[in-house]
Amino acid sequence: MTGYSRDRFGREWFDVDLNGCNTRNDILARDLRQVVFKPGSDCVVAKGTLRDRYTNTTIDFVQGAASSKVDIDHVVALAAAWRTGAKQWTANQRLFYANDSLVLLAVDGPANRQKSDGDAADWLPRNRGYRCRYVARQIAIKTKYDLWVTQPERMTMSDVVSDC
């Protein structure tokens, strides 16, 4: 983890697609249902409902204090990406990675904090029905960004995929 910090991945929730909305709100709008935007805004999600893939629960999202119920997860965590190749990237490559919609998923906040910066060998979603898609998404991300896979991670991924 030499040299790692969240700041190495650029400004949080940067509008990389230049649609006028920050990435956090783009992901909330994509992943929540019954989305209501803040009055006068086409971007800021005020509330909605998340069917959380990690826990298989339904979470009501309300912008503000209650928003800690819903996090935007980097499916392959920034620190995990750093450890497996992102350390060598340019600042611009890291910024785009941190804001790539493939990498991001709205999820249960406590589950995301439990996952922390773990990889598949360290953490899998409690919802067993989502594990195949979770590992497939991690593989897609690691392939797209040419990130390597540790041996324990490879073994876990192989075990999960063999049960799909």
Side-chain angles (χ1 to χ4, degrees):
M1 292 300 291
T2 303
Y4 171 76
S5 83
R6 168 62 181 90
D7 295 341
R8 296 289 201 126
F9 285 82
R11 196 174 90 224
E12 194 169 46
W13 309 129
F14 187 73
D15 179 17
V16 294
D17 63 5
L18 303 176
N19 69 352
C21 304
N22 72 34
T23 301
R24 177 179 170 74
N25 281 296
D26 283 341
I27 300 304
L28 288 170
R30 179 194 73 189
D31 292 352
L32 299 179
R33 300 294 169 252
Q34 301 157 336
V35 172
V36 175
F37 292 97
K38 184 177 174 183
S41 172
D42 292 334
C43 288
V44 180
V45 175
K47 63 182 179 175
T49 303
L50 175 69
R51 183 65 180 165
D52 179 53
R53 295 167 177 123
Y54 288 177
T55 62
N56 200 29
T57 59
T58 300
I59 303 167
D60 291 324
F61 170 84
V62 178
Q63 181 192 30
S67 67
S68 66
K69 290 181 180 180
V70 175
D71 284 356
I72 307 301
D73 180 33
H74 291 89
V75 175
V76 174
L78 300 180
W82 181 266
R83 288 190 299 266
T84 60
K87 181 178 181 178
Q88 282 76 37
W89 297 347
T90 66
N92 206 35
Q93 287 172 305
R94 288 191 294 267
L95 175 69
F96 277 87
Y97 176 85
N99 291 279
D100 183 341
S101 62
L102 173 65
V103 176
L104 300 169
L105 191 62
V107 299
D108 174 75
N112 184 44
R113 287 185 283 284
Q114 180 188 43
K115 174 190 167 213
S116 185
D117 67 351
D119 61 26
D122 300 318
W123 186 89
L124 291 170
R126 184 172 73 211
N127 176 11
R128 290 184 174 275
Y130 185 69
R131 287 183 178 178
C132 289
R133 286 180 285 171
Y134 175 77
V135 167
R137 191 172 190 146
Q138 285 205 333
I139 292 168
I141 292 164
K142 287 188 170 257
T143 300
K144 177 179 180 179
Y145 286 95
D146 199 27
L147 298 169
W148 66 78
V149 178
T150 67
Q151 187 59 33
E153 187 180 15
R154 181 179 309 279
M155 290 172 56
T156 300
M157 288 176 160
S158 179
D159 289 346
V160 169
V161 170
S162 70
D163 288 338
C164 294

